[in-house]
Amino acid sequence: RFDAGGAVVTVSSGLTPGTFLAQAVAGRGDGSWTGGSGLTSSAVAGAVARGELRALGWTEAAGGALTFGSAAPGDTNLDGAIDILDTLNVMAGGRFNAAGGATWADGDFNYDGVVDMIDVADLISTGPSGQAGSDDAAPTAAVAAADDLAGLSALQAAFVALAVEESAATSRPRGRPRR
């Protein structure tokens, strides 16, 4: 059992994505991140206990290094924010409903190897601020408006709506009510 706490950990060699995923699933346990074995995180466990969507996000670098740490579903690059760069990572990965092999950077936020609506729902529920329940407009309202974007798949429309909502949230002056 290894508790990453709130740290971002980089293992330079010897930790494969497959081993990381097996250990993260063991540490996640029942979803509370307090498993008796594997990779756990007291920071993730605390956030989950407060009702926040968190997990151990991970990236793989050239040379076999693997970095992991507490992240909101959607933070594909582990920079602490869910923004247009994360949206682009998921869209560029082209892994939506593809058979297996998807990574966190591709949008697989529940470690099942597939980017699907469960992962997209986690990303949208977390929202562009990275905090579930933020004071920004409900992401589901933005997704509903995205249905009008002809020619886009549901996943593309969801990501466009997320990007539009993020842009609107960051461009309006704080303290002014939204109409």
Side-chain angles (χ1 to χ4, degrees):
R1 181 172 192 257
F2 177 78
D3 182 352
V8 175
V9 177
T10 298
V11 178
S12 59
S13 64
L15 181 60
T16 66
T19 301
F20 167 80
L21 291 170
Q23 295 299 315
V25 167
R28 178 180 62 189
D30 64 359
S32 66
W33 285 96
T34 57
S37 65
L39 296 172
T40 64
S41 167
S42 52
V44 171
V48 168
R50 290 187 303 275
E52 298 173 26
L53 292 173
R54 291 292 182 274
L56 285 177
W58 64 284
T59 61
E60 186 178 20
L66 196 137
T67 299
F68 63 92
S70 174
D75 184 8
T76 62
N77 56 10
L78 305 183
D79 67 356
I82 298 173
D83 55 25
I84 193 69
L85 297 175
D86 300 302
T87 303
L88 292 173
N89 282 343
V90 175
M91 291 182 76
R95 302 291 304 170
F96 188 73
N97 280 340
T103 67
W104 182 272
D106 295 327
D108 176 24
F109 307 124
N110 64 355
Y111 314 125
D112 66 359
V114 178
V115 179
D116 55 19
M117 288 310 293
I118 295 169
D119 300 298
V120 173
D122 281 348
L123 178 141
I124 292 170
S125 294
T126 306
S129 68
Q131 298 291 324
S134 71
D135 67 350
D136 291 328
T140 52
V143 171
D147 289 342
D148 296 332
L149 301 172
L152 296 182
S153 70
L155 177 65
Q156 289 169 324
F159 284 118
V160 167
L162 181 62
V164 167
E165 177 58 29
E166 177 179 324
S167 175
T170 59
S171 66
R172 74 174 185 273
R174 291 289 178 191
R176 265 179 77 185
R178 201 185 299 216
R179 293 180 188 220

